[in-house]
Amino acid sequence: MLTPADIRQIRHSLRLTPEQAVHWPPVEVVLNEISAQQLTFVRAGQNASSAFDTSTSMRVYFAVQPLLGTLREDQKMQIRIRARAMGFGQVASYL
């Protein structure tokens, strides 16, 4: 399950420059929405992965797109690894 602490860790691990950081807020919003949705599913006795569907993958992809254009290759690799770990293998393949 994605937590707010995980989201902070993702940002920290990317070591964004000030120019890159301006593109982070929309990504953080989408990730926080997914985190809240996962919590709702878990509280309802469902699997947290139920929060991941094609619509969610597309929301993440469009939110991260402006940031991707500013990232170095090592930062992109970090995002790919994290995306796959979070269940966004399809999104990771587009990065």
Side-chain angles (χ1 to χ4, degrees):
M1 193 169 120
L2 182 64
T3 67
D6 293 331
I7 296 166
R8 286 189 300 275
Q9 179 58 33
I10 291 167
R11 181 178 181 175
H12 178 73
S13 71
L14 290 174
R15 292 178 170 66
L16 299 174
T17 66
E19 294 80 17
Q20 294 168 329
V22 299
H23 299 290
W24 176 255
V27 176
E28 187 171 8
V29 166
V30 170
L31 294 178
N32 278 314
E33 289 171 358
I34 293 168
S35 176
Q37 189 176 23
Q38 285 182 321
L39 184 57
T40 300
F41 278 115
V42 168
R43 286 183 176 163
Q46 298 176 1
N47 191 324
S49 65
S50 299
F52 299 109
D53 58 17
T54 302
S55 172
T56 303
S57 295
M58 293 310 296
R59 284 184 18 230
V60 171
Y61 177 77
F62 287 119
V64 79
Q65 198 60 30
L67 176 62
L68 284 176
T70 68
L71 296 179
R72 298 181 314 266
E73 190 55 40
D74 64 306
Q75 292 169 309
K76 288 179 185 180
M77 182 60 67
Q78 279 288 329
I79 287 184
R80 286 183 198 109
I81 290 167
R82 298 269 182 175
R84 285 186 183 101
M86 291 171 21
F88 289 116
Q90 182 179 1
V91 172
S93 68
Y94 294 125
L95 306 179

